Amino acid sequence: RKKLTVDFDGGNQSSDAGLLVLRGAEKKTGVVARLAEALPDRRDPTRIRHQLAEIIKARVFAICCGYEDGVDLDGLRHDPVMKMAVGRCPETGAPLASQSTISRFENAPSKTDAARLAKAFVDQFTSHVTPSERDIFDIDDTFDAAHGGQQLSFWNAHHNERGFAPMHVYHAGSGLAVAAILRPAKTPNGQEVRTVIKHLTKRILKTWKRANIVWRGDSHYGRAEAMDWCDANGIGYIFGFAGNSVLARQVAEAVDHLRFWHALSDAPKSRCYKALEYKARSWSAPRRVIARIEASMHPDPTPEDACAMRQKIDVRYVVTSLDGDPEHLYEDVYCQRGQAENLILSLIHISEPT
């Protein structure tokens, strides 16, 4: 008889083969190499075992595979596919950076270093995209709950918990990310919005030179400081704008007109558009405001008639520096910012472990 031996020691294996796809994508874009070049390495050169590019690759690839915590690298540093993705031999290559090295790396950069990384990310975008006749950049933020006493976390009453409101910037034409800025979970003020728009615009124009840039965002970003800077520097914008009693009086006639004709029609919904010249108290000059007025029917059952309907009027405003037909600017330019929200949601879902 022959002796049959069974064991479960499969050797040095990995369950993260997708890392090789990530390695190919990183080689094609070179984003990690660009970020590593932007960071100064203040370590003693005689004691370095892990280059900055290797540390960043390992951390980024681990997050992409659902390993969010730095402590996960204590196990992944021996993973053969992770070692191949970073650039080391799977069997004979030295282990990758451990949790302690990752922790020191993440806490070492200063605010200046963070700014260098942001600039490098913008340069990454401008080097891969060619400017068009008009380039629209969407700016928006989203809530990210904090766990524990994390730095920069802030109480948000709407979400009833502490967290962050990272600011995202996307290029509308390509759908590519331009910047992501970690910040507390509160509404950005005018100075903050102006600072972000100013620095990103200048960095983009450093490569694109004479690009026709337009900033697009909701009413959180339609700040007087930001619009003043855009007006002074020839930069376009279209932002959401909260209504008020002054604007309501200016569109009252158009509202009554739409209400009348909608009541006579069989259409469930009717819209009209009106361009206004308006100056808020905080504005340095009058600006163009576009009103979108909508009349629609909504169920309003009564004891006498369970199928009764009631007409509702909804008015939305945007403030813009752009010329053109009001309907086109609202529907085809401003409303398309919804794609940026989809991109943010996609990023959140991708980064969540499954």
Side-chain angles (χ1 to χ4, degrees):
R1 296 180 178 179
K2 292 184 178 181
K3 183 179 179 181
L4 178 63
T5 302
V6 178
D7 64 51
F8 297 93
D9 183 9
N12 195 9
Q13 297 182 347
S14 175
S15 61
D16 295 304
L19 284 164
L20 300 180
V21 178
L22 291 173
R23 180 186 67 172
E26 196 286 319
K27 281 188 174 181
K28 183 177 180 180
T29 61
V31 61
V32 171
R34 188 184 293 272
L35 295 176
E37 290 175 0
L39 278 179
D41 194 344
R42 302 180 179 91
R43 298 175 297 171
D44 183 351
T46 63
R47 297 188 174 187
I48 292 178
R49 294 183 181 180
H50 310 284
Q51 300 298 324
L52 282 181
E54 294 178 329
I55 296 175
I56 297 175
K57 282 183 183 178
R59 191 68 175 106
V60 170
F61 291 167
I63 293 173
C64 290
C65 290
Y67 303 102
E68 296 180 332
D69 299 323
V71 71
D72 295 323
L73 271 297
D74 278 342
L76 290 173
R77 64 196 299 250
H78 303 287
D79 188 291
V81 180
M82 175 65 86
K83 290 164 72 174
M84 289 176 62
V86 171
R88 296 189 178 184
C89 294
E91 294 292 341
T92 60
L96 302 174
S98 65
Q99 179 272 330
S100 58
T101 302
I102 294 293
S103 180
R104 286 193 295 271
F105 163 74
E106 292 184 336
N107 286 278
S110 62
K111 289 184 177 180
T112 303
D113 295 333
R116 290 193 182 104
L117 290 175
K119 291 178 180 179
F121 204 71
V122 175
D123 293 342
Q124 177 73 16
F125 161 75
T126 55
S127 66
H128 285 77
V129 177
T130 302
S132 61
E133 182 178 347
R134 181 172 70 182
D135 290 281
I136 298 177
F137 291 90
D138 288 304
I139 183 169
D140 202 356
D141 55 73
T142 186
F143 181 76
D144 185 11
H147 305 283
Q150 293 180 268
Q151 296 171 325
L152 293 183
S153 64
F154 194 83
W155 178 261
N156 185 285
H158 177 74
H159 294 276
N160 199 33
E161 59 181 326
R162 298 184 67 87
F164 309 99
M167 195 178 292
H168 298 251
V169 177
Y170 288 91
H171 178 240
S174 64
L176 293 177
V178 180
I181 303 170
L182 184 64
R183 51 182 304 281
K186 57 182 180 179
T187 302
N189 59 33
Q191 184 177 358
E192 182 181 4
V193 175
R194 179 190 60 193
T195 300
V196 171
I197 288 178
K198 178 179 72 174
H199 286 292
L200 289 180
T201 299
K202 288 184 175 181
R203 194 67 185 186
I204 292 168
L205 291 176
K206 185 177 180 180
T207 301
W208 282 8
K209 304 302 180 185
R210 299 180 180 179
N212 180 16
I213 292 176
V214 174
W215 286 93
R216 181 170 64 187
D218 61 19
S219 58
H220 287 171
Y221 295 91
R223 303 295 184 174
E225 296 89 340
M227 292 188 290
D228 284 343
W229 186 88
C230 288
D231 288 334
N233 291 271
I235 303 300
Y237 56 83
I238 182 165
F239 296 118
F241 187 71
N244 55 45
S245 58
V246 176
L247 288 172
R249 287 194 295 270
Q250 292 192 41
V251 301
E253 184 177 348
V255 169
D256 290 340
H257 182 81
L258 180 66
R259 190 194 301 271
F260 175 79
W261 288 107
H262 176 254
L264 293 179
S265 73
D266 295 327
K269 184 185 298 183
S270 297
R271 284 184 174 184
C272 70
Y273 305 84
K274 184 177 178 64
L276 313 167
E277 284 293 319
Y278 171 74
K279 182 184 181 301
R281 290 183 180 179
S282 60
W283 293 359
S284 59
R287 292 189 169 95
R288 190 183 192 202
V289 174
I290 294 172
R292 187 274 285 155
I293 309 166
E294 179 180 281
S296 57
M297 301 302 294
H298 294 263
D300 188 25
T302 64
E304 295 77 17
D305 186 357
C307 298
M309 302 289 284
R310 180 166 60 93
Q311 187 186 61
K312 284 188 177 182
I313 298 295
D314 178 60
V315 183
R316 303 293 176 91
Y317 303 94
V318 297
V319 55
T320 182
S321 64
L322 305 178
D323 297 324
D325 176 64
E327 180 177 359
H328 166 71
L329 290 176
Y330 187 87
E331 298 292 347
D332 301 327
V333 179
Y334 178 73
C335 287
Q336 299 309 309
R337 62 173 294 274
Q339 178 59 18
E341 297 179 355
N342 293 334
L343 292 171
I344 293 175
L345 289 175
S346 176
L347 177 63
I348 293 173
H349 292 157
I350 290 173
S351 60
E352 288 179 346
T354 55

